[in-house]
Amino acid sequence: MSFLPGKNILLGISGGIAAYKSAELVRLLRKQGANVRVCMTAAAQEFITPLTLQALSGNPVHTELLDPQAELGMGHIELARWADAILIAPATANTLARLTYGLADDLLNTVCLASKAPLAVAPAMNQQMWRNPATQHNIRILQERGIRVFGPGEGEQACGDTGLGRMLEAAELVQTLETCCATSQALHGTRVLITAGPTREPIDPVRFLTNRSSGKMGYAVALAAAKMGAEVVLVSGPVALECPPGVKRILTESAADMLKATCEQAQQANLFIATAAVADYTPMEVAGRKIKKNAETLSIEMKRTTDILATIKREHPHLFTVGFAAETHDLMEYARSKLERKGIDMIAANSVADGKAFDQPTNALEVVWKDGHHSFPEMSKQRLAEELMALVAAHYKQRKTSDDPD
Ligand code: CTP
C-alpha cells in the first residue's frame, strides 16, 4: 500500500548541520507525489535558507509563530490541521527536549502540539549528546507517546566524532515514513481487546500471590493498536502504568476478575490479544481474617484458574486470537504446542531465562502461527509492540478476506 501520493506532509527542520539533507528530502517526498510544506526553526535558517526550501517544495516556508502576514495565509492551526503526517528532520537535542515538555514558543513546536497527525522525528546530533541520559530520557517519553523515532544512524560526524547520532539519509527517511504511515490506519474500525499485567490471588485480607509482570508489553501493544486506528479495550491487572491515550481501560485484580471482565468485553471484539501473566493457581480458600504465624510451616492448597485465552477462543471461535508465552527453555516447541492446545491463531513467545523481559524496557519475540513464524530481535517494547501489531493486523486482514471474500 502506498501512503505518500496526494498526502500532505509537513516537514519540520530544526538547526543542525544535517539540515542540508532536508533539501533532498523535500525533493524525494514530492517525487513520491506528496504535497510538502516546510516549517523551520530560527536556528535551521542559519544552516539552509527558506528560499531553497520554498523553491523545492513549491510552497511558502513557515517560520514565524506571531507573523500577521503568515497567519493570514495559513496560520499555525490550519497548518496543524493540513498535515496528514509531520516529520521533523533533522530533530536536534533541543527540539526533542522541547517536544517532550510540550513547549509552544515557536511555530514548529506549536504546530506539533496542535496537530492530531502522526509525528516522526529524525534525530541528528553529536554522539555524546545522543547518548546523554537527558536525551535518552526524552526519546523514551516521546516513544511512549507514540511518536516515531527514525534512526539515528551510526558513522562519522561533522564534528569529527564517530558514533550514533547521524541523521538517516533522505531516501531512508522517505521509505520509513511510507512504511509507518501505510500501516498507521490498518486497524481502523477494528475492536481490539487486550489483557495485560499480573493478577493478584488473595490469601487473606492482607496478602496475595502475584508474579513479576509489569504490564509494559501489554500496554505497549494497546498503544500500538490505538495508533493503528483500532478501538482498544485493555483489561489490566494491577500495574504502575498510566492508561495509554485513546484506550479504554478496565482495572481488575484476580484471575477470576480478569476472566469476568474479559468475557463481558469479548462479545464486541474482533481481535483478542492475551498478554496478561494470569496466575495459573489460586488459593482454594481465602482466609477471612489475617493468618497468624502460629505454626512452623504453612501450606496453602491451590486450585487451577480458568484459562482466559482458551475460554475466549472456545466461546468465540471466529475471534482472531493472539496469545503470549514466556518460557525459560525450548521456546519454539512450547510456543507451537500452546498454539495448538489453545486453538489460537498466533502466539508470541519470549524468553524469560536469566531475568530477561520481566520489567525490562526491551524484549525480543518469536511469533508463531499455523504455517509460519517470524523472529523480532531485541528492541524497545514500544517498537516491538508496533512491529508485532503490524504483523497481527496483516494476518487478521488476511483471515478476514478469506472468511468473507466480498
Ligand atoms: N492465559 C490466560 N489465562 C490463564 C493463563 C494464561 O489467558 N489462566 C494466557 C496468557 O495471557 C498468555 C497465554 O495464556 O497469552 C500463556 O499460556 P499458558 O499456557 O498459561 O502459559 P504458562 O502459564 O507459561 O503455562 P505453562 O505452565 O504451560 O508454561
Side-chain angles (χ1 to χ4, degrees):
M1 198 196 319
S2 189
F3 171 82
L4 286 171
K7 287 295 186 312
N8 295 338
I9 306 299
L10 179 66
L11 175 65
I13 306 181
S14 59
I17 184 65
Y20 78 91
K21 294 187 191 172
S22 309
E24 175 69 353
L25 185 53
V26 173
R27 200 184 67 77
L28 292 179
L29 285 168
R30 286 199 73 195
K31 206 170 151 201
Q32 293 291 317
N35 308 311
V36 183
R37 283 182 176 268
V38 176
C39 178
M40 300 175 80
T41 64
Q45 295 166 60
E46 302 289 332
F47 290 92
I48 183 167
T49 69
L51 195 60
T52 307
L53 295 154
Q54 177 177 314
L56 288 167
S57 67
N59 281 311
V61 170
H62 306 266
T63 55
E64 303 297 328
L65 179 58
L66 303 172
D67 176 353
Q69 245 358 75
E71 289 287 307
L72 261 181
M74 187 178 263
H76 62 278
I77 298 296
E78 278 90 345
L79 198 55
R81 288 187 188 140
W82 173 86
D84 292 313
I86 304 177
L87 169 62
I88 305 182
T92 59
N94 183 38
T95 295
L96 295 173
R98 296 155 72 82
L99 279 176
T100 308
Y101 289 95
L103 299 192
D105 57 355
D106 73 356
L107 182 63
L108 181 57
N109 279 274
T110 308
V111 170
C112 290
L113 269 186
S115 182
K116 286 202 299 198
L119 172 61
V121 293
M125 67 197 72
N126 162 270
Q127 52 85 22
Q128 193 55 50
M129 289 170 77
W130 170 252
R131 290 203 330 230
N132 191 292
T135 306
Q136 289 303 309
H137 172 79
N138 293 338
I139 283 288
R140 259 196 316 278
I141 293 178
L142 293 175
Q143 281 178 321
E144 277 168 22
R145 282 189 206 145
I147 293 171
R148 306 294 299 243
V149 180
F150 297 169
E154 198 165 3
E156 206 175 305
Q157 303 199 301
C159 54
D161 281 7
T162 304
L164 268 179
R166 279 173 63 89
M167 186 170 94
L168 295 185
E169 296 303 322
E172 284 175 276
L173 288 176
V174 172
Q175 199 180 22
T176 317
L177 185 69
E178 171 75 59
T179 317
C180 82
C181 288
T183 53
S184 75
Q185 286 303 301
L187 288 176
H188 182 76
T190 309
R191 288 184 294 264
V192 179
L193 176 62
I194 298 167
T195 62
T199 60
R200 283 181 184 170
E201 305 308 315
I203 298 171
D204 71 10
V206 294
R207 301 182 180 96
F208 52 76
L209 291 164
T210 189
N211 59 63
R212 290 183 189 280
S213 167
S214 63
K216 281 183 188 148
M217 193 62 210
Y219 275 56
V221 168
L223 177 60
K227 277 171 53 193
M228 291 168 83
E231 279 173 49
V232 184
V233 176
L234 177 62
V235 178
S236 173
V239 294
L241 298 170
E242 290 200 9
C243 181
V247 169
K248 179 180 162 195
R249 178 168 71 167
I250 300 169
L251 284 171
T252 59
E253 285 253 333
S254 65
D257 295 342
M258 190 177 270
L259 173 70
K260 185 165 175 284
T262 310
C263 288
E264 281 166 8
Q265 296 297 322
Q267 197 66 39
Q268 296 91 45
N270 308 110
L271 220 161
F272 175 49
I273 306 176
T275 75
V278 187
D280 290 322
Y281 293 90
T282 191
M284 291 283 280
E285 277 169 25
V286 182
R289 302 166 76 178
K290 186 180 166 198
I291 300 171
K292 303 300 282 180
K293 50 179 175 305
N294 295 331
E296 277 309 304
T297 59
L298 173 72
S299 301
I300 299 172
E301 203 180 350
M302 313 265 279
K303 61 180 181 204
R304 283 283 290 271
T305 56
T306 306
D307 189 321
I308 302 174
L309 178 57
T311 305
I312 297 292
K313 187 66 194 180
R314 202 174 51 244
E315 289 182 5
H316 306 275
H318 289 292
L319 195 60
F320 191 93
T321 314
V322 184
F324 268 69
E327 308 290 350
T328 53
H329 57 283
D330 301 328
L331 198 70
M332 292 296 273
E333 260 170 60
Y334 281 123
R336 284 215 177 277
S337 79
K338 275 179 197 177
L339 184 80
E340 280 166 30
R341 187 156 38 89
K342 301 197 186 207
I344 56 180
D345 300 282
M346 291 178 106
I347 192 149
N350 65 276
S351 168
V352 286
D354 314 320
K356 270 194 241 154
F358 275 131
D359 210 14
Q360 298 296 314
T362 61
N363 202 355
L365 286 179
E366 291 290 339
V367 185
V368 179
W369 56 96
K370 196 166 160 247
D371 44 17
H373 75 101
H374 185 87
S375 308
F376 291 109
E378 184 159 345
M379 60 183 101
S380 83
K381 284 187 176 172
Q382 192 54 54
R383 167 111 190 272
L384 188 60
E386 283 167 15
E387 305 247 347
L388 173 69
M389 282 313 298
L391 183 71
V392 168
H395 280 255
Y396 166 66
K397 291 257 146 116
Q398 205 177 25
R399 232 273 305 269
K400 217 167 141 235
T401 323
S402 61
D403 282 359
D404 181 12
D406 301 328

